[in-house]
Amino acid sequence: MKSVIERYNKSKEEHHQLGYPASEVKLWQQEAAALRQQLQNLQENHRQMMGEELSGLSVKDLQNLENQLEMSLRGVRMKKDQILMDEIQELNRKGNLIHQENVELYKKVYGTRDLNGSNRNPLHTNNIGIGEDSHIPVRLQLSQPQHETPARATKLGRLQLH
């Protein structure tokens, strides 16, 4: 677009000095025709990318189109994976913060010793202790959904962990 404007300005100066308004009209007609052709080519390319109007393409053209689509799809998948990984990292960070807050709240509510002076058993969820010596980070990862029965859920106070 910038080159079109530059060509227009250059041509306008040249033709304005010579005083040929008819040549300016001709220049704009040529420019409009070139832009119409460019639009037509882009629309045809878009239709082919969408799987339409493929009958006139050779095997080589179809292979090139397929490669172009595969490269585009690979880029989309990489971007999606990166976004998901960023979200997982953020959830891991938040999970670790919540875990630390839970440890601190547990200490405040139950203390570190019971009436006999012995250490209390740390709170356990899925064999992970939440107590004063627990500094195990929580890690989340992508996996396929698993169907669990409500009987497998572990109850933690009012919170139900699956």
Side-chain angles (χ1 to χ4, degrees):
M1 189 57 120
K2 189 176 182 179
S3 65
V4 172
I5 294 171
E6 289 174 0
R7 284 187 288 170
Y8 166 73
N9 288 334
K10 183 178 177 182
S11 178
K12 183 179 175 182
E13 288 176 16
E14 291 173 358
H15 292 293
H16 185 62
Q17 291 173 355
L18 298 174
Y20 295 118
S23 64
E24 186 174 337
V25 170
K26 189 174 185 178
L27 171 73
W28 281 112
Q29 289 173 340
Q30 290 173 346
E31 192 65 37
L35 289 173
R36 271 193 295 276
Q37 182 63 43
Q38 185 179 6
L39 176 63
Q40 206 170 25
N41 292 342
L42 287 171
Q43 287 173 334
E44 180 181 355
N45 190 6
H46 180 262
R47 283 190 296 273
Q48 289 173 350
M49 290 268 195
M50 298 304 292
E52 302 169 2
E53 298 182 17
L54 301 176
S55 60
L57 297 179
S58 68
V59 173
K60 184 178 178 181
D61 291 336
L62 290 170
Q63 184 65 43
N64 287 337
L65 181 61
E66 183 181 15
N67 291 339
Q68 190 176 13
L69 289 169
E70 286 176 358
M71 297 268 300
S72 296
L73 184 58
R74 191 177 2 253
V76 168
R77 287 183 176 151
M78 285 175 53
K79 181 65 176 174
K80 182 187 82 170
D81 288 346
Q82 182 60 49
I83 289 171
L84 289 174
M85 293 303 293
D86 291 345
E87 287 179 8
I88 288 171
Q89 286 178 344
E90 180 64 17
L91 289 173
N92 277 330
R93 185 188 67 76
K94 287 179 180 179
N96 288 333
L97 290 173
I98 289 171
H99 176 73
Q100 289 301 319
E101 186 178 335
N102 284 342
V103 168
E104 291 171 19
L105 290 172
Y106 182 84
K107 286 179 185 180
K108 285 181 183 179
V109 170
Y110 296 108
T112 57
R113 300 208 176 258
D114 63 7
L115 295 175
N116 296 330
S118 61
N119 284 340
R120 281 186 152 293
N121 290 332
L123 181 62
H124 288 279
T125 59
N126 296 332
N127 297 326
I128 298 174
I130 302 177
E132 82 181 52
D133 294 330
S134 177
H135 296 288
I136 300 170
V138 177
R139 296 281 182 232
L140 300 176
Q141 61 185 6
L142 287 176
S143 64
Q144 293 297 323
Q146 297 176 355
H147 301 288
E148 292 189 24
T149 61
R152 287 195 61 198
T154 305
K155 287 190 177 183
L156 174 62
R158 294 181 198 198
L159 178 66
Q160 195 174 30
L161 297 177
H162 296 275

